[in-house]
Amino acid sequence: MDTRHCDGMTRRAFLHTGVAAAVAAGATTRPSRQASNAPPRPANDALPWYRRAYRWGQTNITEKDPVHYDIAWWREQWKRTEVQAVIINAGGIVAYYPSRFPLHHQAEFLGGRDLFGELTKAAHDDGLFVMARMDSNRTAEDFFKAHPDWFTRDAQGRPYRAADKYISCINSPYYDEYLPGVLREIVERSHPDGFTDNSWAGMGRESICYCDNCARTFRARTGKALPRKADWDDPAYREWIQWSYARRISVWELNNRVTRDAGGPDCIWAGMNSGSVTAQARSFRDLKEISARADIMMLDHQRRDDDTGFQQNGDTGKRVHEMLGWDKLAPESMAMYQSGPGYYRVASKPAAEARMWMIAGIAGGIQPWWHYVGAYQEDRRMYRTPGPVLTWCKANEAFLVDRTPIATVGLAWSQRNTDFFGRDDPGDRVDAPYAGFMHALVRARIPYLPVHLDDIERHAGRFTALILPNVGAISDAQAAALRRFVQNGGSLVATGQTGMYDERGDPRPDLALADLFRCRRGTAAPKLREGTRQGAQSDHTYLRLTPELRARVDGPKAGDEPSAVGERHEVLRGFDETDILPYGGTLSPLTIDTGALVPLTFVPPFPTYPPETSWMRQPKTDVPGLVLSEHGRARVAFMPADIDRRYAREHLPDHARLLANVVRWAAGRQPLSVEGPGLIDCHLYEQPGQLVLHLVNLTSEGTWRAPIDEFIRVGPFKVGVRLPAGAARARARLLVSVGEPRVTVLNGVATFVIEGILDHEVVVLT
Ligand SMILES: [Zn+2]
């Protein structure tokens, strides 16, 4: 079926089924401005090219390739894989055309050939769009010798180098004069549709450049000398961080002016960005500021880590689109070669691993983009990997773009927090707590969306709960926005050191959100807690569930233990046969306001070894591990215990259950329920007249380290989807296994059964 006619021809059909009628009446499943105001999808050819290039391919050309590049074969591969846009190496470190700039290093085996031009013409002849690929942050020695003042310098004045290359300075004429000239030359010669740049953002945060350009411009901006070293407490270093971010935005804007002036308004320059906020922070690429300027988000995020799994790609897609807009595209480079663990540029990645990374990204709204290094492969298996996924994407294109996600839960983040709270250890302070919640929400099948801390007002009414996973650095303005969110009935779940620091990373005298958390800190100033080593005796801590229910449970009882009984809070559901949970962190006393509940208290460390000594010295304290309060309709859970980070690190199911229980208590009714065995990542979307549900089978991911080699079918699943208000009937179509399960609708919830999921399933409810 040509699904592109959904908005027009078959729309009348939806009106008879119920879902479409309800959506058309404005009764969306969740309050969502984007959905209710979303204009009908314009005819495809009315959109600029970068809004309709849904499938991408890239052969990263090596210097040897010009000798034997088989253009005819690659044209066949483009066709087989149904790509609409390709990325072709043009210039930068290596030029693949005879550049008029004598110091623009031409590929060693180019031999005067205009390979970039030939490939661009071939792609254009085949109806494909072309992004010219740049990689422009370093040069060979001859360039350095000709322009020594354009290059980065360490504190001793020595040039920074990467292998045999010299790293150019982003504050030098290399970026202001030389690169714009190269961009213009490429446009004039070959007319690509746009540009990417693999390493446009210059040298990363690990190194401070002390060249004359940097010293002069930093002093002109700040009145200060460049910081002598990385020191987050030094005001000059903090200003250097902010100044470095601002320069990258200037470069982004400059390059766009250059390419559009030369090639027309749609000749965009799109740089390259990472799916990891920490990676963005390391290279001064502000994801939010860039999103505000980008027409398309080109993502270099090629594979999963064992730590964060395939689900991280769904998270990336949602995070990027929440800032960029769901009407824009976010293609992502996906390695078809083995890219970790182990890095083998010309060996095939196991097809199952590559396929799952693609599928997980597509579920989060990412456009697939296959990526090879080298135009000739002896391991030819990788050529077959992307075709089936991209062919499926083409057939189901209408369901994969222009959609509005449905979720009641927002998972908050900010790059400023990554910088100024994360400092030199964002992995432990920022990424791990976020990932812990991501994993717990996926495991609990609770749809969520990443939400930037500065966008909370924009999303007012969209989420019933916001999660702040150890978001240490919160500004007064952000705290005020969170307060208004709660005043308007929104719930909060916050963990660890949330709000203990200001936006500069300086400790606050008390919690920024003490009034919402209904607890206050004692007099001790906070210290950034470093990551704890697994297995250290000081980590042998627990949380006590209150009240204890030992009297109800079989088992021997210690003489001094109370036989208290009572009703436990619903956030402790599922723990009826235990009075303690493993914890592993440390906690400090807090003053609790009246009216707040403390369902978990801290059990301080006691020895693990020798076993004879392993008994609780202090079984009970009043140090809270979780504080619950109600504020009108809003519920607030403050979990000083960093259970989210513990879950990311130790993967204990108790921690995941506790996190999910607290989120359910705070967020209330969920738009989706999925019952059945397995680890499933769920993404729910709304389109005009229909709902689209992705179910990604991560089950094998939970059993194997990367890479996986086979899929394990799971099911059956009983799925319940809350329909838009007023819808009384629904029809379900399965886009992967192809079928129409029987749907029953009761109390506004459509229920159906999916018999099995191999890698993924996509359900369209109309
Ligand atoms: Zn410099």
Side-chain angles (χ1 to χ4, degrees), residues 353-654:
E353 177 76 18
R355 181 179 169 87
M356 279 307 294
W357 183 247
M358 298 174 98
I359 284 171
I362 290 162
I366 279 173
Q367 280 66 52
W369 153 10
W370 51 248
H371 181 232
Y372 302 104
V373 173
Y376 174 78
Q377 303 292 339
E378 293 177 281
D379 186 344
R380 295 169 297 279
R381 295 172 294 180
M382 69 178 86
Y383 293 140
R384 282 205 301 272
T385 306
V389 176
L390 271 66
T391 305
W392 181 86
C393 283
K394 184 187 181 191
N396 297 287
E397 178 184 297
F399 305 108
L400 304 180
V401 292
D402 295 319
R403 48 194 196 175
T404 303
I406 297 172
T408 55
V409 176
L411 187 53
W413 67 280
S414 88
Q415 195 159 332
R416 179 101 194 186
N417 182 56
T418 298
D419 283 320
F420 287 92
F421 175 65
R423 297 191 166 197
D424 296 323
D425 195 9
D428 197 60
R429 290 181 188 151
V430 179
D431 296 348
Y434 183 96
F437 254 114
M438 174 182 77
H439 292 315
L441 293 167
V442 168
R443 186 181 183 276
R445 299 161 181 173
I446 297 174
Y448 76 93
L449 287 166
V451 56
H452 194 282
L453 258 190
D454 287 333
D455 288 341
I456 287 163
E457 304 274 59
R458 195 157 68 81
H459 295 300
R462 184 177 180 200
F463 300 118
T464 55
L466 281 177
I467 300 170
L468 302 165
N470 199 43
V471 181
I474 290 184
S475 70
D476 289 346
Q478 289 166 342
L482 289 163
R483 222 164 260 124
R484 286 191 291 274
F485 179 78
V486 171
Q487 280 161 7
N488 291 325
S491 295
L492 284 188
V493 177
T495 64
Q497 296 181 302
T498 293
M500 293 194 183
Y501 302 82
D502 65 19
E503 72 274 23
R504 292 172 295 277
D506 289 326
R508 289 175 172 277
D510 201 351
L511 306 171
L513 303 171
D515 54 329
L516 300 182
F517 294 171
R518 293 268 162 82
C519 60
R520 273 148 234 294
R521 193 167 44 213
T523 50
K527 277 176 60 179
L528 281 178
R529 184 175 50 211
E530 301 307 322
T532 48
R533 280 176 299 113
Q534 198 169 13
Q537 295 254 358
S538 61
D539 291 346
H540 189 226
T541 63
Y542 293 80
L543 294 172
R544 178 163 300 284
L545 285 62
T546 61
E548 293 100 320
L549 298 181
R550 176 160 296 272
R552 288 184 181 175
V553 178
D554 289 340
K557 184 175 151 225
D560 59 346
E561 281 176 357
S563 53
V565 292
E567 284 303 314
R568 271 189 182 162
H569 198 275
E570 64 181 274
V571 301
L572 303 181
R573 192 172 291 159
F575 299 124
D576 291 348
E577 296 195 25
T578 180
D579 289 339
I580 53 144
L581 295 176
Y583 171 38
T586 53
L587 291 173
S588 308
L590 293 169
T591 305
I592 306 296
D593 294 354
T594 52
L597 296 174
V598 179
L600 291 168
T601 55
F602 181 57
V603 178
F606 56 94
T608 54
Y609 192 85
E612 290 84 344
T613 66
S614 192
W615 50 275
M616 287 179 192
R617 303 299 191 275
Q618 193 182 354
K620 276 188 169 181
T621 69
D622 58 5
V623 177
L626 175 62
V627 183
L628 304 178
S629 57
E630 305 206 8
H631 306 245
R633 281 184 298 135
R635 293 172 163 181
V636 176
F638 174 48
M639 191 184 282
D642 56 340
I643 293 296
D644 40 7
R645 170 163 45 196
R646 306 307 305 181
Y647 185 53
R649 292 280 179 254
E650 296 174 351
H651 205 230
L652 295 180
D654 280 350

Side-chain angles (χ1 to χ4, degrees), residues 153-173:
R153 304 278 177 168
D154 67 14
Q156 283 71 46
R158 294 170 302 207
Y160 282 106
R161 299 183 61 173
D164 63 338
K165 302 285 193 296
Y166 291 76
I167 298 173
S168 50
C169 176
I170 198 163
N171 288 297
S172 78

Side-chain angles (χ1 to χ4, degrees), residues 151-153 169-172 203 209-215 243:
F151 287 80
T152 53
R153 304 278 177 168
C169 176
I170 198 163
N171 288 297
S172 78
M203 197 161 61
C209 177
Y210 294 93
C211 81
D212 291 345
N213 296 302
C214 284
W243 171 78

Side-chain angles (χ1 to χ4, degrees), residues 297-364:
M297 184 65 79
M298 305 299 285
L299 290 167
D300 184 5
H301 190 49
Q302 303 207 5
R303 63 175 180 89
R304 70 163 163 150
D305 298 319
D306 280 334
D307 267 5
T308 50
F310 294 116
Q311 57 268 48
Q312 202 277 325
N313 214 19
D315 183 274
T316 292
K318 292 187 293 189
R319 178 199 309 276
V320 166
H321 281 295
E322 281 296 300
M323 285 179 297
L324 188 68
W326 285 88
D327 54 343
K328 294 183 184 158
L329 303 180
E332 180 187 81
S333 171
M334 296 161 165
M336 297 295 115
Y337 55 87
Q338 180 54 24
S339 55
Y343 204 54
Y344 301 99
R345 287 285 207 187
V346 296
S348 295
K349 176 175 285 193
E353 177 76 18
R355 181 179 169 87
M356 279 307 294
W357 183 247
M358 298 174 98
I359 284 171
I362 290 162

Side-chain angles (χ1 to χ4, degrees), residues 61-78:
I61 307 173
T62 69
E63 291 201 71
K64 189 74 188 293
D65 285 335
V67 177
H68 51 55
Y69 203 116
D70 187 344
I71 293 180
W73 189 91
W74 281 100
R75 291 174 88 157
E76 282 301 310
Q77 179 73 352
W78 297 340

